[in-house]
Amino acid sequence: MRDYDEVTAFLGEWGPFQRLIFFLLSASIIPNGFNGMSIVFLAGTPEHRCHVPDTVNLSNAWRNHSIPLETKDGRQVPQKCRRYRLAAIANFSALGLEPGLDVDLEQLEQESCLDGWEYSKDVFLSTIVTEWDLVCQNDWKGPFTISLFFVGVLMGSFISGQLSDRFGRKNVLFLTMAMQTGFSFLQVFSVNFEMFTVLFVLVGMGQISNYVAAFVLGTEILSKSIRIIFATLGVCIFYAFGFMVLPLFAYFIRDWRMLLLALTVPGVLCGALWWFIPESPRWLISQGRIKEAEVIIRRAAKTNGIVAPSTIFDPNELQDLNSKKPQSHHIYDLIRTRNIRILTIMSIILWLTISVGYFGLSLDTPNLHGDIYVNSFFSAAVEVPAYVMAWLLLQYLPRRYSISAALFLGGSVLLFLQLVPSELFYLSTTLVMVGKFGITSAYSMVYVYTAELYPTVVRNMGVGVSSTASRLGSILSPYFVYLGAYDRYLPYILMGSLTILTAILTLFFPESFGVPLPDTIDQMLRIKGIKQWQSQNQTRMIKDGEESPTVLKSTAF
């Protein structure tokens, strides 16, 4: 009995059909790149200070000194959330007293920004922060919005696989693409923060769902050698390309509603791909729709200039294939034995930490010195060589050493940041980009590595649980950035420390490079590393038993 890859081998590896599918599916990922990170500009926080109404009768001197000063980065700047009590300084102004000469400003009573804020328009004309005053006592709403977007991503990752298994890869791909684009369009008409946030959750659900559908569709249509490149380079680099396009849009469109409207256009254009991207023949066969699958294969053969055989799918082979029912496994199998339990816990820690680092550095771009648009472009552009480096490392070097080295690189430069003098801000920005490079490389490699460690019977569950940990990390990441309001280097210290600790933890993982993929949990125990754990455990139990017969007897039960 031949499998699907053997049956369709006559199509070749890299013909016009495969190239078309590769680039069209990769192109469908571009809107994901700027939709996910658009919040960097949509929720940008410009310089602001308390508004002092023109109706208050103040002299020019008192109006210029109506905001208290604070020390920030070694210089005096106006406070963002406090002002001197207007009734008091209006009285001093009426008496002709001068601030700083006749009145000690440090002794004056202060009050909150009762009349709102004034926002600088040097960088943004408007954002959701300036429209709904998400500053000072409401500054938690910014990171909360981002976290809820990733909550939507988490919810979408749970349902996307089930939807595509039931309704088809192509249908779910375009349905969720329309969902992402449609709800992004509705956000333009948000009347308050709550409406914007609820719609953003739905955008997150659509974003991850069409990403997963495109990923699965590509891996099922493309041949074995090409699907590896598609998974590691195709979707990742096109995602980074979308991320690079984002600051270009944002630079020329500085009003958040018009920017969001412009970002929905590529999603609408992607709708035209419906007539060029076919359904997955593998999925059609699993649903018993053999004739539809054959039509797609014959069309692919015609595109490649190849004559298809008269019979592509032998009904007898398909009947034998469908009669084989795989043994059912449950999520409990991921913790059933001590070895797989340790591996699962370590994988969760690895994915969560990498996700915090990746999204934390991406979202922290506005806080870097220099132009936000240039920094955002470099933050996206550095991902391209990172993905290429990850692919090369996966081809030639052991997995755990490659991931550990990438994490060490990312974590060490983040910790080194606090030692860089404040005037060398270009060096600081460069180090952040190097840290992003290392963590992005590790992020790209960890998908392949995790899939190789788990056996076939629980591979999907293992990667799914690890991916869920990644989503939790992305939900937490905005609050790491938020800590920068209290100490500029605190986010880097935390992310750097966690990354280096995880790099050390990675060295204790088993090695999967050059090892056949395990199909069962029993085969998994023979992978290099896990076997060592098992041998050590057995040796320890024997030694303990020799020293204490009671222990050995209790172990037997």
Side-chain angles (χ1 to χ4, degrees):
M1 186 180 67
R2 300 176 299 166
D3 62 17
Y4 176 86
D5 289 319
E6 292 174 327
V7 171
T8 58
F10 69 90
L11 290 175
E13 293 280 330
W14 189 237
F17 174 76
Q18 288 90 345
R19 289 196 292 270
L20 181 68
I21 297 300
F22 184 99
F23 288 108
L24 290 185
L25 285 176
S26 297
S28 73
I29 301 296
I30 292 177
N32 294 47
F34 49 70
N35 268 302
M37 291 295 118
S38 62
I39 196 66
V40 169
F41 299 99
L42 298 178
T45 304
E47 290 295 321
H48 54 278
R49 53 183 284 180
C50 290
H51 174 62
V52 178
D54 294 334
T55 55
V56 179
N57 189 17
L58 294 176
S59 65
N60 290 333
W62 275 107
R63 188 168 291 276
N64 293 334
H65 288 81
S66 59
I67 307 297
L69 299 179
E70 62 179 352
T71 303
K72 187 176 182 180
D73 296 330
R75 59 193 182 94
Q76 293 284 308
V77 296
Q79 289 190 24
K80 298 179 178 180
C81 301
R82 304 290 292 175
R83 69 183 183 187
Y84 293 121
R85 194 163 68 86
L86 291 188
I89 61 176
N91 184 45
F92 292 138
S93 177
L95 294 174
L97 302 177
E98 292 295 322
L101 297 176
D102 304 315
V103 180
D104 185 1
L105 295 178
E106 293 184 0
Q107 303 299 319
L108 284 182
E109 185 180 354
Q110 299 179 12
E111 62 185 6
S112 59
C113 301
L114 302 177
D115 298 295
W117 290 263
E118 297 176 0
Y119 297 97
S120 168
K121 295 189 177 182
D122 293 339
V123 180
F124 308 107
L125 289 181
S126 72
T127 67
I128 65 170
V129 171
T130 64
E131 181 150 343
W132 297 311
D133 289 332
L134 308 183
V135 292
C136 298
Q137 68 268 23
N138 289 321
D139 62 354
W140 60 272
K141 292 183 178 180
F144 181 67
T145 302
I146 305 172
S147 289
L148 285 183
F149 169 81
F150 288 117
V151 169
V153 171
L154 176 62
M155 294 165 60
S157 63
F158 277 128
I159 64 173
S160 58
Q162 300 176 43
L163 288 175
S164 61
D165 286 342
R166 181 171 182 180
F167 300 106
R169 316 319 192 195
K170 179 180 177 179
N171 291 332
V172 171
L173 169 63
F174 285 93
L175 176 65
T176 54
M177 196 183 296
M179 178 180 177
Q180 172 181 296
T181 304
F183 285 119
S184 291
F185 178 74
L186 290 178
Q187 280 185 292
V188 175
F189 305 99
S190 298
V191 296
N192 52 42
F193 164 75
E194 290 77 15
M195 178 179 175
F196 179 91
T197 303
V198 170
L199 291 172
F200 209 30
V201 173
L202 297 174
V203 170
M205 291 179 64
Q207 188 209 38
I208 188 63
S209 297
N210 73 61
Y211 183 94
V212 171
F215 185 87
V216 172
L217 187 56
T219 54
E220 290 185 344
I221 293 180
L222 299 172
S223 58
K224 288 182 179 178
S225 60
I226 303 303
R227 73 176 65 127
I228 295 175
I229 301 176
F230 173 76
T232 55
L233 290 181
V235 293
C236 293
I237 288 181
F238 276 77
Y239 178 91
F241 178 73
F243 194 179
M244 286 190 286
V245 170
L246 172 63
L248 184 64
F249 274 80
Y251 179 80
F252 290 103
I253 308 173
R254 304 202 178 192
D255 175 81
W256 76 268
R257 293 183 188 271
M258 296 307 299
L259 173 61
L260 197 51
L261 183 62
L263 293 179
T264 62
V265 174
V268 174
L269 297 178
C270 284
L273 301 179
W274 172 272
W275 287 273
F276 300 95
I277 297 176
E279 181 55 272
S280 166
R282 289 177 186 262
W283 180 81
L284 290 171
I285 292 171
S286 71
Q287 302 298 305
R289 297 157 63 176
I290 311 302
K291 291 184 179 180
E292 295 178 55
E294 283 204 2
V295 169
I296 293 173
I297 298 300
R298 293 187 185 280
R299 191 182 302 136
K302 183 179 180 181
T303 304
N304 287 351
I306 297 171
V307 178
S310 57
T311 302
I312 298 177
F313 298 108
D314 186 349
N316 294 326
E317 288 183 342
L318 294 172
Q319 187 175 1
D320 292 339
L321 184 64
N322 292 331
S323 64
K324 286 190 173 184
K325 293 185 178 180
Q327 182 182 357
S328 61
H329 287 80
H330 304 89
I331 196 168
Y332 170 75
D333 291 312
L334 296 179
I335 57 173
R336 184 162 58 88
T337 66
R338 182 173 186 270
N339 294 324
I340 197 172
R341 183 164 60 248
I342 294 174
L343 177 64
T344 300
I345 294 173
M346 291 171 63
S347 296
I348 289 173
I349 296 173
L350 175 63
W351 280 68
L352 190 147
T353 304
I354 292 178
S355 181
V356 167
Y358 174 80
F359 287 104
L361 292 178
S362 298
L363 297 171
D364 190 54
T365 305
N367 298 324
L368 298 176
H369 287 284
D371 188 275
I372 181 177
Y373 303 100
V374 174
N375 290 337
S376 181
F377 176 81
F378 283 133
S379 179
V382 78
E383 293 190 14
V384 176
Y387 292 134
V388 175
M389 178 61 71
W391 180 72
L392 293 173
L393 291 174
L394 288 172
Q395 293 290 105
Y396 303 108
L397 294 176
R399 312 297 197 223
R400 57 177 175 175
Y401 295 129
S402 299
I403 295 177
S404 182
L407 291 175
F408 265 118
L409 173 64
S412 58
V413 296
L414 292 181
L415 285 179
F416 184 72
L417 270 174
Q418 58 186 316
L419 304 178
V420 177
S422 58
E423 62 270 14
L424 300 178
F425 54 85
Y426 287 114
L427 176 59
S428 298
T429 303
T430 302
L431 289 177
V432 171
M433 297 305 166
V434 173
K436 177 81 181 292
F437 172 87
I439 293 175
T440 302
S441 296
Y443 209 169
S444 179
M445 289 186 283
V446 76
Y447 277 89
V448 176
Y449 187 37
T450 305
E452 290 176 344
L453 290 177
Y454 283 104
T456 303
V457 293
V458 293
R459 182 171 296 125
N460 191 46
M461 285 189 291
V463 175
V465 169
S466 301
S467 180
T468 300
S470 169
R471 309 304 170 205
L472 294 176
S474 62
I475 292 171
L476 294 173
S477 62
Y479 294 99
F480 278 76
V481 178
Y482 183 68
L483 292 174
Y486 301 97
D487 186 294
R488 182 68 195 95
Y489 296 106
L490 185 56
Y492 300 127
I493 293 172
L494 291 176
M495 287 188 287
S497 301
L498 287 173
T499 302
I500 287 183
L501 290 174
T502 306
I504 297 172
L505 177 68
T506 306
L507 295 174
F508 293 92
F509 271 83
E511 183 54 66
S512 63
F513 183 64
V515 178
L517 288 178
D519 289 319
T520 67
I521 294 178
D522 292 335
Q523 289 178 357
M524 177 187 174
L525 298 179
R526 291 193 288 271
I527 293 180
K528 179 183 177 183
I530 292 185
K531 182 179 179 181
Q532 296 174 0
W533 292 348
Q534 187 182 29
S535 300
Q536 291 172 0
N537 293 339
Q538 291 176 346
T539 303
R540 190 181 300 112
M541 288 173 62
I542 292 174
K543 288 183 178 180
D544 292 342
E546 290 175 352
E547 295 174 3
S548 175
T550 306
V551 174
L552 183 60
K553 183 177 179 180
S554 62
T555 305
F557 288 101

